[in-house]
Amino acid sequence: MQKVVLFGECMLELKQNDAATMRHAFAGDALNSAVYLKRQFSQIDVSFMSAVGDDSISQQMLDVFTQEGLDNCFVYADKTKAPGVYLVQTDEDGERSFVYWRENSAAREVMQFVDQDVIDTLGSQDLFFFSGISLAVIKPEQRAMFWDMLKQLKQAGVKIVFDPNYRPRLWRDEDEAKGEFEQAFALSDLLLPGIEDFSQLYQLESVNEILDFCQPYQIEEIVIKNGPESVFIAIDGQVQEVKIQPVAKVVDTTSAGDSFNGVYLGARMTEQTPQRAVELASAAASCVIQHPGAIAPAQAFKDFMQSRFG
Ligand code: ADP
């Protein structure tokens, strides 16, 4: 069985329901990708790697991971911390805004739980995914441990996958983000950026500029997402553009890139071509953005993918 680990933070999402009540859900970029990967490719063993607390909300999170078919063996419990929280508010024009409480979250402590045994177990995985958000969340003083772990995984033959998912507010300044990202680029076998990641942080606006920038890192496969326009695949210096069928009525773009990533990884792990993987991944994303929130209802997602691909 193929095995993949996705490393990141899951947060409690609170959403205003009416003036008096809120609804809650659980989400986070790497987790969202894990969920969609497993939904589409049940034959792959998918683990989410993180730390949660030792409280009832953390237990609910673990239950949701299990319900989604994820393996929780790399989810650690920090008894002194609780999960991060964010609140989503939507104004009269449908514009969303977010307030976060994550500075002190359990997920920031995850590297405390990683010893040589954990690294050795991770070394038998086929693929390890992390994002710029996963990186930003690790306490700065524990990032050296993370890079040491990643180098060992790469040496053990685990395929390393990175999505920069640049969020300026998670970083002290641009130089801090660049310093971490450049270590990630150097270790990546597959890169899954959006054009925006590079335009915001490096002022690179075109696919060619991005590929020139990435050239020294010798990344085997680069898949560049460009919203509703198209996706570019660069393998061995060959660039291919795959057009996207834009969705007529977008409900909520949360998790578009995350669902794309999860399904793309699953497709590549099951030996599908990059072109076919983009078709599956962009279809998944187009379904997800027609539903509110990060995680679309499981049945609706399954029906949509089945109606497209059988
Ligand atoms: P993010 O900003 O979350 O990383 P993007 O906006 O780059 O995500 O979109 C990720 C993927 O979602 C795209 O590559 C595309 O496949 C799909 N997608 C995004 N917007 C649309 C849209 N309006 N219609 C159809 N598909 C879309």
Side-chain angles (χ1 to χ4, degrees), residues 165 225-228 231 244-247 250 253 256-257 260 282 285-286 289:
N165 236 340
K225 292 161 277 179
N226 189 18
V231 172
I244 298 295
Q245 195 93 42
V247 162
V250 176
T253 56
F260 181 98
S282 56
S286 76
I289 63 180

Side-chain angles (χ1 to χ4, degrees), residues 163 165 167 192-197 224-231 244-248 250 253-261 278 281-287 289-290:
D163 177 350
N165 236 340
R167 298 288 184 274
L192 291 168
I195 285 192
E196 253 188 19
D197 295 322
I224 305 174
K225 292 161 277 179
N226 189 18
E229 311 281 317
S230 57
V231 172
I244 298 295
Q245 195 93 42
V247 162
V250 176
T253 56
T254 305
S255 200
D258 307 339
S259 51
F260 181 98
N261 288 350
V278 168
S282 56
S286 76
C287 169
I289 63 180
Q290 293 178 69

Side-chain angles (χ1 to χ4, degrees), residues 14-24 87-90:
L14 298 175
K15 211 181 228 171
Q16 202 78 44
N17 195 23
D18 53 42
T21 58
M22 286 188 192
R23 273 184 299 201
H24 80 272
L87 170 66
V88 194
Q89 287 172 306
T90 312

Side-chain angles (χ1 to χ4, degrees), residues 2-303:
Q2 291 267 88
K3 292 185 288 185
V4 50
V5 171
L6 298 97
F7 176 97
E9 175 171 30
C10 174
M11 283 177 289
L12 171 66
E13 179 193 83
L14 298 175
K15 211 181 228 171
Q16 202 78 44
N17 195 23
D18 53 42
T21 58
M22 286 188 192
R23 273 184 299 201
H24 80 272
F26 300 111
D29 67 337
L31 173 75
N32 305 338
S33 299
V35 165
Y36 291 112
L37 198 170
K38 184 67 186 180
R39 282 185 182 180
Q40 189 62 22
F41 299 96
S42 58
Q43 70 272 38
I44 298 177
D45 184 348
V46 183
S47 302
F48 178 55
M49 181 169 179
S50 193
V52 296
D54 184 23
D55 47 74
S56 60
I57 285 294
S58 297
Q59 189 53 53
Q60 282 185 42
M61 277 184 177
L62 293 171
D63 293 345
V64 168
F65 304 163
T66 305
Q67 276 159 28
E68 290 287 351
L70 304 181
D71 189 330
N72 289 342
C73 66
F74 299 108
V75 183
Y76 305 98
D78 184 330
K79 293 185 168 48
T80 67
K81 303 277 178 182
V85 186
Y86 68 99
L87 170 66
V88 194
Q89 287 172 306
T90 312
D91 68 15
E92 293 103 49
D93 304 321
E95 270 306 304
R96 286 172 304 136
S97 60
F98 299 84
V99 187
Y100 291 90
W101 296 267
R102 73 194 308 186
E103 300 72 24
N104 208 20
S105 69
R108 303 201 69 202
E109 305 291 334
V110 61
M111 290 311 297
Q112 268 188 39
F113 298 93
V114 177
D115 57 17
Q116 196 55 47
D117 279 351
V118 171
I119 297 175
D120 292 343
T121 312
L122 285 169
S124 71
Q125 298 283 322
D126 296 288
L127 196 145
F128 182 91
F129 169 91
F130 67 112
S131 73
I133 298 178
S134 326
L135 262 181
V137 166
I138 303 169
K139 282 184 155 172
E141 60 271 27
Q142 289 175 6
R143 288 194 192 132
M145 285 169 69
F146 176 82
W147 294 121
D148 178 54
M149 173 184 85
L150 211 65
K151 282 176 194 147
Q152 291 193 51
L153 297 188
K154 185 154 175 114
Q155 256 172 12
V158 180
K159 193 168 176 161
I160 307 296
V161 186
F162 179 59
D163 177 350
N165 236 340
Y166 178 52
R167 298 288 184 274
R169 75 165 118 192
L170 292 180
W171 297 97
R172 193 178 58 232
D173 54 32
E174 290 189 348
D175 285 342
E176 187 194 22
K178 284 178 179 171
E180 298 298 312
F181 282 14
E182 281 151 33
Q183 294 187 70
F185 297 148
L187 290 166
S188 293
D189 299 297
L190 166 57
L191 190 64
L192 291 168
I195 285 192
E196 253 188 19
D197 295 322
F198 284 97
S199 61
Q200 279 190 304
L201 188 58
Y202 294 99
Q203 290 74 51
L204 302 174
E205 305 294 340
S206 72
V207 168
N208 283 341
E209 283 177 324
I210 295 170
L211 294 177
D212 283 348
F213 173 90
C214 291
Q215 214 268 331
Y217 299 108
Q218 299 193 318
I219 302 165
E220 214 173 285
E221 185 167 332
I222 304 180
V223 178
I224 305 174
K225 292 161 277 179
N226 189 18
E229 311 281 317
S230 57
V231 172
F232 294 85
I233 308 166
I235 298 177
D236 291 335
Q238 301 281 343
V239 185
Q240 185 189 354
E241 181 178 9
V242 183
K243 286 279 178 204
I244 298 295
Q245 195 93 42
V247 162
K249 192 168 177 293
V250 176
V251 174
D252 179 352
T253 56
T254 305
S255 200
D258 307 339
S259 51
F260 181 98
N261 288 350
V263 173
Y264 187 85
L265 292 182
R268 296 294 285 135
M269 290 179 80
T270 51
E271 306 298 328
Q272 313 210 36
T273 63
Q275 155 107 28
R276 176 72 172 167
V278 168
E279 285 163 10
L280 283 159
S282 56
S286 76
C287 169
V288 168
I289 63 180
Q290 293 178 69
H291 294 274
I295 310 283
Q299 195 59 46
F301 181 75
K302 194 174 166 197
D303 292 346

